[in-house]
Amino acid sequence: MGRTATVDAAEARPVRIELLVIDLMNRLLDPGPGGVDAALDDVLARLGQACGLDRTFIFQDRNDGTQFNSHEWVAPGVTALKDRMQMIIPAQFAAWEAAFNSGQPVRVHNRDDLPVGSVERNFLEEAGVWSSLMLPLHDGQKRLGILGYDSRTPGRAWAEDEIALLASIGRAVTAVLMRDAASAAEAASRRHLEATLRALPDLVIEICPDGQLVACHSDKLPWLSGLVRAGIGRPLAEVLPQPLAEVLGKIVQNPPGPHGAITRRVGIASLVAQHRYEVSVAPMPGLIDGQPAGLLAVIRDLTTVEASSVMA
């Protein structure tokens, strides 16, 4: 049997749940070194224990309209359902979907109150749930998922003030999921960008707005890329050959606009020969802490190209 089978629902509710909610919201908004997933698991566990529940969970929406159970806590003796809940089709639960889409919670006092044979009642019966509260998580008009609270005891009352407090946790969960999704999208975008840059036949370097070298995205032009890699974190003027450093330094001082680029040509004398390079500089996409992310400089060796043109 589940935990609530032996705990009176009214007595199980904390007298000062407001303080718990404040603490849990702070826990979500500052996940700490354990990360977002650990914070969500911790919040679900503490809510379930404090409210005398048998299961607390988060379902997240996919772009294809399905849902999956991303986080779950269960009381001792209660079977976890997470692994069985990885392909949920919300459209099958028409009554619940109507409420969720209008931003309303679904409150089931007793599953026997639901129509016999209904999809919703069958779902709860198969899960061993008698009472449930499910709150939609929305970002504007877009639904991100569901935050749910289950009890294996019939007749679990869901008071309005309790729902309001639990809904405030839902808003914090929404903020965390949005932030996590944005971070994941940014990381994916950066991985794609880095893969694209590595495929270019040119040397690509990243420069922060104050002129320090941030990264080298290829090993093209080995002698230059070697200088850049050795000088990561230092001002470009201290690392690059003077003619190249001067050209890049002027562009850093007056960078191109959000969708612009600046191209210059520069000659660098070596002990063997004169090298000519084309330097194209464009802003990195996105912002870091509200500030421009920096600049990408693409450096192409024109020496071979120009020599071939002369020979032709």
Side-chain angles (χ1 to χ4, degrees):
M1 292 294 290
R3 178 178 175 177
T4 52
T6 58
V7 179
D8 181 78
E11 294 178 357
R13 293 188 196 116
V15 176
R16 304 195 67 184
I17 192 175
E18 296 91 342
L19 296 180
L20 173 67
V21 167
I22 293 172
D23 186 36
L24 295 182
M25 290 176 69
N26 290 333
R27 174 78 173 92
L28 286 171
L29 298 177
D30 185 15
V36 170
D37 287 331
L40 289 170
D41 288 339
D42 182 43
V43 166
L44 291 180
R46 292 175 63 186
L47 273 176
Q49 292 161 0
C51 297
L53 298 167
D54 291 299
R55 180 172 181 256
T56 53
F57 59 88
I58 296 172
F59 279 14
Q60 292 190 49
D61 287 23
R62 296 189 180 95
N63 292 332
D64 64 2
T66 62
Q67 288 181 335
F68 67 102
N69 189 176
S70 61
H71 300 81
E72 177 190 56
W73 169 86
V74 293
V78 176
T79 301
L81 301 177
K82 181 179 175 182
D83 291 345
R84 294 164 46 191
M85 300 288 181
Q86 294 304 303
M87 182 54 69
I88 301 298
I89 303 175
Q92 293 179 343
F93 307 95
W96 291 351
E97 276 295 280
F100 293 148
N101 290 334
S102 63
Q104 299 301 311
V106 167
R107 178 172 23 185
V108 179
H109 180 64
N110 189 320
R111 74 184 185 211
D112 283 349
D113 296 336
L114 302 176
V116 175
S118 65
V119 176
E120 293 83 1
R121 178 166 174 167
N122 291 342
F123 180 80
L124 294 180
E125 288 177 348
E126 291 175 6
V129 174
W130 278 93
S131 302
S132 186
L133 173 66
M134 291 171 282
L135 306 168
L137 306 175
H138 278 97
D139 172 24
Q141 296 300 312
K142 180 182 179 181
R143 194 178 71 199
L144 303 180
I146 302 296
L147 175 61
Y149 310 92
D150 285 346
S151 172
R152 291 160 63 95
T153 299
R156 208 292 189 181
W158 303 100
E160 292 296 335
D161 56 346
E162 184 181 26
I163 293 176
L165 289 169
L166 295 176
S168 65
I169 292 291
R171 288 189 289 273
V173 169
T174 298
V176 168
L177 293 179
M178 289 172 56
R179 185 172 61 187
D180 193 47
S183 297
E186 181 180 352
S189 176
R190 188 169 186 85
R191 288 193 298 270
H192 176 74
L193 175 62
E194 289 175 349
T196 301
L197 296 178
R198 285 194 297 270
L200 291 175
D202 312 302
L203 174 63
V204 182
I205 63 177
E206 188 176 335
I207 306 168
C208 71
D210 64 4
Q212 288 188 348
L213 295 171
V214 176
C216 180
H217 292 288
S218 73
D219 289 316
K220 310 300 190 298
L221 310 182
W223 77 280
L224 268 180
S225 63
L227 290 176
V228 174
R229 290 189 185 281
I232 298 298
R234 294 166 54 194
L236 60 87
E238 297 179 4
V239 177
L240 299 177
Q242 182 181 359
L244 181 58
E246 288 182 354
V247 168
L248 287 172
K250 290 178 180 179
I251 297 176
V252 168
Q253 292 176 1
N254 295 284
H259 303 288
I262 297 175
T263 300
R264 298 286 186 269
R265 293 191 174 188
V266 59
I268 301 176
S270 71
L271 295 177
V272 179
Q274 177 82 6
H275 292 269
R276 288 185 58 76
Y277 298 95
E278 182 178 82
V279 181
S280 297
V281 180
M284 288 278 290
L287 300 173
I288 298 178
D289 296 330
Q291 301 299 317
L295 300 169
L296 279 179
V298 179
I299 303 173
R300 173 170 295 180
D301 189 351
L302 298 177
T303 306
T304 303
V305 176
E306 291 180 348
S308 300
S309 299
V310 171
M311 292 178 65

